[in-house]
Amino acid sequence: MLAKVCSAAVNGIDAYPVEVEVNSGWGDTIIVIVGLPDTAVKESRDRVTTALLNSGFKFPLGRTTINLAPADVKKEGPSFDLPIALGVLAACEQMNTHELERFEIVGELALTGAVRPVKGVLPIALQARRDGKAGVLVPADNAPEAAVVAGLTVIPIRNLRQAASFLEGELPIHPTRVDVSRLFEPCVDSDLDFADVKGQESVKRALEIAAAGSHNILLIGPPGTGKSMLAKRLPGILPPLTLDEALETTKIHSIVGLLASGQALITQRPFRAPHHTASDAGLLGGNVNPTPGEISLAHNGVLFLDELPEFKRSVLETMRQPLEEGRVTISRAAGTMTFPSEFMLVAAMNPTPDGKMPGESRCSPREIQHYLGRISGPLLDRIDVHIEVPAVPFRDITRAQPGESSADIRARVVAARQRQRQRFAHRPRLNCNARMGPRELKQCCGLDESTLDLLKLAMSDMHLSARAYDRILKVARTIADLAAMENIAADHLAEAIQFRSLDRQIWT
């Protein structure tokens, strides 16, 4: 007898439907899986047969052929265990149901018949809704993740026997429901507040501007000045995620398997801080089968690269495309994948190999130049804001009065972002100044004659590139938004220009 079960698999960050066809016939007792299965899928025949026996079902006799369609796409992972087992039961007439075509089913089976969680349930649930399915049968630990998809019935499954009884109509299971609005209730990390940072008012101002426009920022200063401390507090002043941003971010973490058991949605902007020994595959993603790397895991959040010159130069150079285009394309023999990577880069570094400022360092000029030369000019051009983080004076360290809180700074950032959303209302994917293209720059960053002369002088004296020109205009536009000004004034432009001066002073 032939049975068909609807399932799905993940390709990139999206899912595609997979039809599991099971045919039980005469011949020697053997289970054959076709349809380009990988090793984990091939091994499912042993997990499935053992789980069937331990769940009280009969071992399938005769030749059982299992086809995973479409047959020309490689199938990976153990998520087909549950649909294969249910297909075997239906084909062997040990389960009588007409519900298999109404649901998309995924899940890994333990030898006891228990259903274990799998990766990529959120994109699979979104695909089920696009396919017009009534619902999904997913592992109980993954049910909250799937339940954020509106208009979909999510049935949590704990074991194979329970799944079969539900499909036969013998065992009712209450669908999992999630109140998405409650997931977005404010959750402030009191341990990471700007109020705890002593001094560094100019750096806080630079971080506020960077957060308001989603600009990349480089912190340069000796050890112990608070660069890492400041960077870790940056997510606390960023605007909250929208539902679309949260879904897209959660999809990426779901397919990598980083969602905690029972976690429904990522509602806080991610903060990723890879070690400087990270490879290009670890940062960009890749391996044999392309998977997201750190820059995609930081999508809609912050990527913090501490000790920037210690990263391999080849690794840093591969970040040019993601920084410019907001996505990364990975080509491997298994195929080409494109992952979103609209992150905010925060980099920190010492000005010299021994950590001291150039005038105080004992390193030779050649050593300093070699150290700074690990960061190329094109990469620096893609970083909008460069700011020195000086040593904190003793009077600031001992000051009892706390600094401005993250909540107060965040309120100004949110107001500035709201102005940007209104300005770019005709471009739904454009929601911050850092992502403006040439057309938006021309429309939104007009300068009067005197302000234009100031920018011309800065470009000439500092030998800035055309890309740096665009970055200065974007930062100036953000400063004007923080000031609730319609037009860019001379003081806004001057402040934006001084955020480009530090790298020229040190690098030359």
PDB file of all heavy atoms in Angstrom, residues 479-508:
ATOM      1  N   ILE A 479      22.608  62.979  12.877  1.00  0.00           N
ATOM      2  CA  ILE A 479      22.768  64.002  13.912  1.00  0.00           C
ATOM      3  C   ILE A 479      21.630  65.016  13.832  1.00  0.00           C
ATOM      4  O   ILE A 479      21.080  65.455  14.854  1.00  0.00           O
ATOM      5  CB  ILE A 479      24.145  64.685  13.779  1.00  0.00           C
ATOM      6  CG1 ILE A 479      25.272  63.669  14.034  1.00  0.00           C
ATOM      7  CG2 ILE A 479      24.268  65.859  14.749  1.00  0.00           C
ATOM      8  CD1 ILE A 479      26.658  64.198  13.718  1.00  0.00           C
ATOM      9  N   ALA A 480      21.252  65.384  12.622  1.00  0.00           N
ATOM     10  CA  ALA A 480      20.116  66.305  12.456  1.00  0.00           C
ATOM     11  C   ALA A 480      18.825  65.661  12.938  1.00  0.00           C
ATOM     12  O   ALA A 480      17.971  66.338  13.535  1.00  0.00           O
ATOM     13  CB  ALA A 480      20.006  66.710  10.989  1.00  0.00           C
ATOM     14  N   ASP A 481      18.660  64.353  12.712  1.00  0.00           N
ATOM     15  CA  ASP A 481      17.455  63.666  13.196  1.00  0.00           C
ATOM     16  C   ASP A 481      17.407  63.648  14.719  1.00  0.00           C
ATOM     17  O   ASP A 481      16.333  63.810  15.315  1.00  0.00           O
ATOM     18  CB  ASP A 481      17.424  62.227  12.659  1.00  0.00           C
ATOM     19  CG  ASP A 481      17.113  62.169  11.178  1.00  0.00           C
ATOM     20  OD1 ASP A 481      16.511  63.127  10.665  1.00  0.00           O
ATOM     21  OD2 ASP A 481      17.481  61.171  10.530  1.00  0.00           O
ATOM     22  N   LEU A 482      18.549  63.444  15.356  1.00  0.00           N
ATOM     23  CA  LEU A 482      18.582  63.486  16.826  1.00  0.00           C
ATOM     24  C   LEU A 482      18.211  64.873  17.346  1.00  0.00           C
ATOM     25  O   LEU A 482      17.629  64.998  18.428  1.00  0.00           O
ATOM     26  CB  LEU A 482      19.964  63.080  17.333  1.00  0.00           C
ATOM     27  CG  LEU A 482      20.293  61.584  17.314  1.00  0.00           C
ATOM     28  CD1 LEU A 482      21.772  61.350  17.579  1.00  0.00           C
ATOM     29  CD2 LEU A 482      19.456  60.835  18.352  1.00  0.00           C
ATOM     30  N   ALA A 483      18.558  65.874  16.579  1.00  0.00           N
ATOM     31  CA  ALA A 483      18.218  67.250  16.967  1.00  0.00           C
ATOM     32  C   ALA A 483      16.837  67.663  16.481  1.00  0.00           C
ATOM     33  O   ALA A 483      16.433  68.821  16.674  1.00  0.00           O
ATOM     34  CB  ALA A 483      19.272  68.210  16.420  1.00  0.00           C
ATOM     35  N   ALA A 484      16.114  66.739  15.846  1.00  0.00           N
ATOM     36  CA  ALA A 484      14.772  66.998  15.316  1.00  0.00           C
ATOM     37  C   ALA A 484      14.784  68.139  14.314  1.00  0.00           C
ATOM     38  O   ALA A 484      13.847  68.949  14.254  1.00  0.00           O
ATOM     39  CB  ALA A 484      13.792  67.295  16.454  1.00  0.00           C
ATOM     40  N   MET A 485      15.833  68.196  13.486  1.00  0.00           N
ATOM     41  CA  MET A 485      15.971  69.243  12.471  1.00  0.00           C
ATOM     42  C   MET A 485      15.672  68.666  11.092  1.00  0.00           C
ATOM     43  O   MET A 485      16.065  67.546  10.765  1.00  0.00           O
ATOM     44  CB  MET A 485      17.389  69.811  12.495  1.00  0.00           C
ATOM     45  CG  MET A 485      17.771  70.446  13.826  1.00  0.00           C
ATOM     46  SD  MET A 485      16.889  71.983  14.133  1.00  0.00           S
ATOM     47  CE  MET A 485      17.677  73.046  12.924  1.00  0.00           C
ATOM     48  N   GLU A 486      14.989  69.450  10.286  1.00  0.00           N
ATOM     49  CA  GLU A 486      14.621  69.006   8.941  1.00  0.00           C
ATOM     50  C   GLU A 486      15.813  69.024   8.003  1.00  0.00           C
ATOM     51  O   GLU A 486      15.970  68.147   7.154  1.00  0.00           O
ATOM     52  CB  GLU A 486      13.502  69.900   8.389  1.00  0.00           C
ATOM     53  CG  GLU A 486      12.968  69.466   7.046  1.00  0.00           C
ATOM     54  CD  GLU A 486      12.241  68.136   7.118  1.00  0.00           C
ATOM     55  OE1 GLU A 486      11.691  67.807   8.189  1.00  0.00           O
ATOM     56  OE2 GLU A 486      12.225  67.418   6.090  1.00  0.00           O
ATOM     57  N   ASN A 487      16.676  70.032   8.152  1.00  0.00           N
ATOM     58  CA  ASN A 487      17.828  70.180   7.260  1.00  0.00           C
ATOM     59  C   ASN A 487      19.125  69.989   8.030  1.00  0.00           C
ATOM     60  O   ASN A 487      19.194  70.202   9.246  1.00  0.00           O
ATOM     61  CB  ASN A 487      17.819  71.567   6.597  1.00  0.00           C
ATOM     62  CG  ASN A 487      16.586  71.786   5.745  1.00  0.00           C
ATOM     63  OD1 ASN A 487      16.179  70.902   4.985  1.00  0.00           O
ATOM     64  ND2 ASN A 487      15.983  72.966   5.871  1.00  0.00           N
ATOM     65  N   ILE A 488      20.174  69.609   7.301  1.00  0.00           N
ATOM     66  CA  ILE A 488      21.500  69.435   7.907  1.00  0.00           C
ATOM     67  C   ILE A 488      22.154  70.797   8.048  1.00  0.00           C
ATOM     68  O   ILE A 488      22.343  71.523   7.060  1.00  0.00           O
ATOM     69  CB  ILE A 488      22.369  68.504   7.033  1.00  0.00           C
ATOM     70  CG1 ILE A 488      21.730  67.117   6.930  1.00  0.00           C
ATOM     71  CG2 ILE A 488      23.775  68.398   7.595  1.00  0.00           C
ATOM     72  CD1 ILE A 488      22.455  66.178   5.988  1.00  0.00           C
ATOM     73  N   ALA A 489      22.520  71.138   9.275  1.00  0.00           N
ATOM     74  CA  ALA A 489      23.171  72.422   9.540  1.00  0.00           C
ATOM     75  C   ALA A 489      24.684  72.241   9.578  1.00  0.00           C
ATOM     76  O   ALA A 489      25.198  71.118   9.572  1.00  0.00           O
ATOM     77  CB  ALA A 489      22.672  73.006  10.861  1.00  0.00           C
ATOM     78  N   ALA A 490      25.404  73.375   9.646  1.00  0.00           N
ATOM     79  CA  ALA A 490      26.867  73.325   9.629  1.00  0.00           C
ATOM     80  C   ALA A 490      27.420  72.586  10.835  1.00  0.00           C
ATOM     81  O   ALA A 490      28.411  71.846  10.727  1.00  0.00           O
ATOM     82  CB  ALA A 490      27.428  74.749   9.564  1.00  0.00           C
ATOM     83  N   ASP A 491      26.809  72.767  12.027  1.00  0.00           N
ATOM     84  CA  ASP A 491      27.325  72.084  13.211  1.00  0.00           C
ATOM     85  C   ASP A 491      27.089  70.581  13.135  1.00  0.00           C
ATOM     86  O   ASP A 491      27.887  69.788  13.644  1.00  0.00           O
ATOM     87  CB  ASP A 491      26.711  72.672  14.484  1.00  0.00           C
ATOM     88  CG  ASP A 491      25.189  72.618  14.473  1.00  0.00           C
ATOM     89  OD1 ASP A 491      24.605  72.552  13.376  1.00  0.00           O
ATOM     90  OD2 ASP A 491      24.579  72.631  15.554  1.00  0.00           O
ATOM     91  N   HIS A 492      26.000  70.150  12.482  1.00  0.00           N
ATOM     92  CA  HIS A 492      25.773  68.714  12.286  1.00  0.00           C
ATOM     93  C   HIS A 492      26.857  68.129  11.393  1.00  0.00           C
ATOM     94  O   HIS A 492      27.416  67.064  11.684  1.00  0.00           O
ATOM     95  CB  HIS A 492      24.406  68.473  11.645  1.00  0.00           C
ATOM     96  CG  HIS A 492      23.268  69.058  12.408  1.00  0.00           C
ATOM     97  ND1 HIS A 492      22.123  69.530  11.791  1.00  0.00           N
ATOM     98  CD2 HIS A 492      23.099  69.278  13.737  1.00  0.00           C
ATOM     99  CE1 HIS A 492      21.292  69.998  12.698  1.00  0.00           C
ATOM    100  NE2 HIS A 492      21.858  69.866  13.886  1.00  0.00           N
ATOM    101  N   LEU A 493      27.169  68.835  10.325  1.00  0.00           N
ATOM    102  CA  LEU A 493      28.187  68.352   9.395  1.00  0.00           C
ATOM    103  C   LEU A 493      29.569  68.353  10.037  1.00  0.00           C
ATOM    104  O   LEU A 493      30.348  67.411   9.848  1.00  0.00           O
ATOM    105  CB  LEU A 493      28.185  69.214   8.134  1.00  0.00           C
ATOM    106  CG  LEU A 493      29.120  68.762   7.004  1.00  0.00           C
ATOM    107  CD1 LEU A 493      28.699  67.398   6.477  1.00  0.00           C
ATOM    108  CD2 LEU A 493      29.147  69.779   5.871  1.00  0.00           C
ATOM    109  N   ALA A 494      29.863  69.394  10.812  1.00  0.00           N
ATOM    110  CA  ALA A 494      31.167  69.468  11.469  1.00  0.00           C
ATOM    111  C   ALA A 494      31.365  68.313  12.444  1.00  0.00           C
ATOM    112  O   ALA A 494      32.455  67.731  12.533  1.00  0.00           O
ATOM    113  CB  ALA A 494      31.303  70.811  12.191  1.00  0.00           C
ATOM    114  N   GLU A 495      30.316  67.971  13.182  1.00  0.00           N
ATOM    115  CA  GLU A 495      30.427  66.846  14.109  1.00  0.00           C
ATOM    116  C   GLU A 495      30.622  65.543  13.351  1.00  0.00           C
ATOM    117  O   GLU A 495      31.406  64.682  13.766  1.00  0.00           O
ATOM    118  CB  GLU A 495      29.177  66.760  14.985  1.00  0.00           C
ATOM    119  CG  GLU A 495      29.287  65.712  16.092  1.00  0.00           C
ATOM    120  CD  GLU A 495      28.100  65.720  17.038  1.00  0.00           C
ATOM    121  OE1 GLU A 495      27.125  66.446  16.762  1.00  0.00           O
ATOM    122  OE2 GLU A 495      28.145  64.991  18.044  1.00  0.00           O
ATOM    123  N   ALA A 496      29.950  65.372  12.221  1.00  0.00           N
ATOM    124  CA  ALA A 496      30.121  64.164  11.417  1.00  0.00           C
ATOM    125  C   ALA A 496      31.529  64.078  10.847  1.00  0.00           C
ATOM    126  O   ALA A 496      32.122  62.990  10.781  1.00  0.00           O
ATOM    127  CB  ALA A 496      29.085  64.137  10.289  1.00  0.00           C
ATOM    128  N   ILE A 497      32.102  65.215  10.444  1.00  0.00           N
ATOM    129  CA  ILE A 497      33.454  65.215   9.874  1.00  0.00           C
ATOM    130  C   ILE A 497      34.483  64.818  10.918  1.00  0.00           C
ATOM    131  O   ILE A 497      35.420  64.067  10.634  1.00  0.00           O
ATOM    132  CB  ILE A 497      33.777  66.603   9.287  1.00  0.00           C
ATOM    133  CG1 ILE A 497      32.925  66.864   8.041  1.00  0.00           C
ATOM    134  CG2 ILE A 497      35.262  66.719   8.949  1.00  0.00           C
ATOM    135  CD1 ILE A 497      33.032  68.280   7.501  1.00  0.00           C
ATOM    136  N   GLN A 498      34.315  65.285  12.154  1.00  0.00           N
ATOM    137  CA  GLN A 498      35.320  64.966  13.167  1.00  0.00           C
ATOM    138  C   GLN A 498      35.322  63.490  13.531  1.00  0.00           C
ATOM    139  O   GLN A 498      36.301  62.988  14.063  1.00  0.00           O
ATOM    140  CB  GLN A 498      35.129  65.847  14.410  1.00  0.00           C
ATOM    141  CG  GLN A 498      33.830  65.654  15.154  1.00  0.00           C
ATOM    142  CD  GLN A 498      33.935  64.685  16.311  1.00  0.00           C
ATOM    143  OE1 GLN A 498      35.036  64.368  16.740  1.00  0.00           O
ATOM    144  NE2 GLN A 498      32.792  64.212  16.801  1.00  0.00           N
ATOM    145  N   PHE A 499      34.245  62.760  13.180  1.00  0.00           N
ATOM    146  CA  PHE A 499      34.241  61.314  13.399  1.00  0.00           C
ATOM    147  C   PHE A 499      35.035  60.571  12.329  1.00  0.00           C
ATOM    148  O   PHE A 499      35.184  59.359  12.413  1.00  0.00           O
ATOM    149  CB  PHE A 499      32.804  60.783  13.422  1.00  0.00           C
ATOM    150  CG  PHE A 499      32.036  61.137  14.660  1.00  0.00           C
ATOM    151  CD1 PHE A 499      30.750  61.644  14.582  1.00  0.00           C
ATOM    152  CD2 PHE A 499      32.601  60.971  15.914  1.00  0.00           C
ATOM    153  CE1 PHE A 499      30.032  61.967  15.726  1.00  0.00           C
ATOM    154  CE2 PHE A 499      31.895  61.300  17.065  1.00  0.00           C
ATOM    155  CZ  PHE A 499      30.614  61.800  16.966  1.00  0.00           C
ATOM    156  N   ARG A 500      35.537  61.307  11.304  1.00  0.00           N
ATOM    157  CA  ARG A 500      36.388  60.687  10.291  1.00  0.00           C
ATOM    158  C   ARG A 500      37.842  61.100  10.437  1.00  0.00           C
ATOM    159  O   ARG A 500      38.693  60.611   9.699  1.00  0.00           O
ATOM    160  CB  ARG A 500      35.931  61.107   8.888  1.00  0.00           C
ATOM    161  CG  ARG A 500      34.511  60.816   8.553  1.00  0.00           C
ATOM    162  CD  ARG A 500      34.212  59.358   8.445  1.00  0.00           C
ATOM    163  NE  ARG A 500      35.084  58.628   7.542  1.00  0.00           N
ATOM    164  CZ  ARG A 500      34.882  57.373   7.166  1.00  0.00           C
ATOM    165  NH1 ARG A 500      33.815  56.722   7.635  1.00  0.00           N
ATOM    166  NH2 ARG A 500      35.706  56.776   6.344  1.00  0.00           N
ATOM    167  N   SER A 501      38.151  61.967  11.355  1.00  0.00           N
ATOM    168  CA  SER A 501      39.507  62.529  11.427  1.00  0.00           C
ATOM    169  C   SER A 501      40.489  61.642  12.167  1.00  0.00           C
ATOM    170  O   SER A 501      41.674  61.645  11.887  1.00  0.00           O
ATOM    171  CB  SER A 501      39.466  63.918  12.074  1.00  0.00           C
ATOM    172  OG  SER A 501      38.980  63.804  13.410  1.00  0.00           O
ATOM    173  N   LEU A 502      40.017  60.852  13.100  1.00  0.00           N
ATOM    174  CA  LEU A 502      40.929  60.109  13.983  1.00  0.00           C
ATOM    175  C   LEU A 502      41.741  59.092  13.196  1.00  0.00           C
ATOM    176  O   LEU A 502      42.940  58.955  13.401  1.00  0.00           O
ATOM    177  CB  LEU A 502      40.137  59.415  15.086  1.00  0.00           C
ATOM    178  CG  LEU A 502      40.987  58.624  16.090  1.00  0.00           C
ATOM    179  CD1 LEU A 502      41.910  59.558  16.841  1.00  0.00           C
ATOM    180  CD2 LEU A 502      40.097  57.870  17.049  1.00  0.00           C
ATOM    181  N   ASP A 503      41.106  58.371  12.282  1.00  0.00           N
ATOM    182  CA  ASP A 503      41.853  57.335  11.557  1.00  0.00           C
ATOM    183  C   ASP A 503      42.942  57.954  10.706  1.00  0.00           C
ATOM    184  O   ASP A 503      44.021  57.383  10.542  1.00  0.00           O
ATOM    185  CB  ASP A 503      40.894  56.514  10.693  1.00  0.00           C
ATOM    186  CG  ASP A 503      40.230  57.326   9.609  1.00  0.00           C
ATOM    187  OD1 ASP A 503      39.741  58.431   9.915  1.00  0.00           O
ATOM    188  OD2 ASP A 503      40.190  56.844   8.486  1.00  0.00           O
ATOM    189  N   ARG A 504      42.700  59.148  10.161  1.00  0.00           N
ATOM    190  CA  ARG A 504      43.737  59.788   9.338  1.00  0.00           C
ATOM    191  C   ARG A 504      44.900  60.228  10.204  1.00  0.00           C
ATOM    192  O   ARG A 504      46.049  60.123   9.809  1.00  0.00           O
ATOM    193  CB  ARG A 504      43.134  60.997   8.608  1.00  0.00           C
ATOM    194  CG  ARG A 504      41.974  60.632   7.694  1.00  0.00           C
ATOM    195  CD  ARG A 504      42.389  59.628   6.621  1.00  0.00           C
ATOM    196  NE  ARG A 504      41.227  59.104   5.909  1.00  0.00           N
ATOM    197  CZ  ARG A 504      41.279  58.163   4.976  1.00  0.00           C
ATOM    198  NH1 ARG A 504      42.453  57.621   4.668  1.00  0.00           N
ATOM    199  NH2 ARG A 504      40.185  57.745   4.389  1.00  0.00           N
ATOM    200  N   GLN A 505      44.616  60.682  11.421  1.00  0.00           N
ATOM    201  CA  GLN A 505      45.699  61.108  12.305  1.00  0.00           C
ATOM    202  C   GLN A 505      46.593  59.940  12.696  1.00  0.00           C
ATOM    203  O   GLN A 505      47.815  60.056  12.741  1.00  0.00           O
ATOM    204  CB  GLN A 505      45.117  61.751  13.576  1.00  0.00           C
ATOM    205  CG  GLN A 505      44.367  63.048  13.316  1.00  0.00           C
ATOM    206  CD  GLN A 505      43.644  63.535  14.566  1.00  0.00           C
ATOM    207  OE1 GLN A 505      43.794  62.957  15.636  1.00  0.00           O
ATOM    208  NE2 GLN A 505      42.861  64.582  14.416  1.00  0.00           N
ATOM    209  N   ILE A 506      45.994  58.800  12.979  1.00  0.00           N
ATOM    210  CA  ILE A 506      46.774  57.658  13.422  1.00  0.00           C
ATOM    211  C   ILE A 506      47.390  56.915  12.241  1.00  0.00           C
ATOM    212  O   ILE A 506      48.567  56.573  12.243  1.00  0.00           O
ATOM    213  CB  ILE A 506      45.872  56.698  14.255  1.00  0.00           C
ATOM    214  CG1 ILE A 506      45.520  57.383  15.588  1.00  0.00           C
ATOM    215  CG2 ILE A 506      46.580  55.364  14.504  1.00  0.00           C
ATOM    216  CD1 ILE A 506      44.667  56.522  16.479  1.00  0.00           C
ATOM    217  N   TRP A 507      46.609  56.703  11.182  1.00  0.00           N
ATOM    218  CA  TRP A 507      47.100  55.872  10.094  1.00  0.00           C
ATOM    219  C   TRP A 507      48.200  56.574   9.293  1.00  0.00           C
ATOM    220  O   TRP A 507      48.979  55.937   8.608  1.00  0.00           O
ATOM    221  CB  TRP A 507      45.947  55.498   9.163  1.00  0.00           C
ATOM    222  CG  TRP A 507      45.424  54.123   9.454  1.00  0.00           C
ATOM    223  CD1 TRP A 507      45.667  52.999   8.742  1.00  0.00           C
ATOM    224  CD2 TRP A 507      44.615  53.727  10.555  1.00  0.00           C
ATOM    225  NE1 TRP A 507      45.052  51.915   9.345  1.00  0.00           N
ATOM    226  CE2 TRP A 507      44.390  52.340  10.449  1.00  0.00           C
ATOM    227  CE3 TRP A 507      44.044  54.407  11.636  1.00  0.00           C
ATOM    228  CZ2 TRP A 507      43.638  51.616  11.364  1.00  0.00           C
ATOM    229  CZ3 TRP A 507      43.290  53.698  12.537  1.00  0.00           C
ATOM    230  CH2 TRP A 507      43.099  52.328  12.406  1.00  0.00           C
ATOM    231  N   THR A 508      48.270  57.930   9.354  1.00  0.00           N
ATOM    232  CA  THR A 508      49.314  58.633   8.637  1.00  0.00           C
ATOM    233  C   THR A 508      50.432  59.074   9.560  1.00  0.00           C
ATOM    234  O   THR A 508      51.357  59.704   9.092  1.00  0.00           O
ATOM    235  CB  THR A 508      48.725  59.878   7.954  1.00  0.00           C
ATOM    236  OG1 THR A 508      48.089  60.711   8.927  1.00  0.00           O
ATOM    237  CG2 THR A 508      47.701  59.482   6.907  1.00  0.00           C
TER     238      THR A 508
END
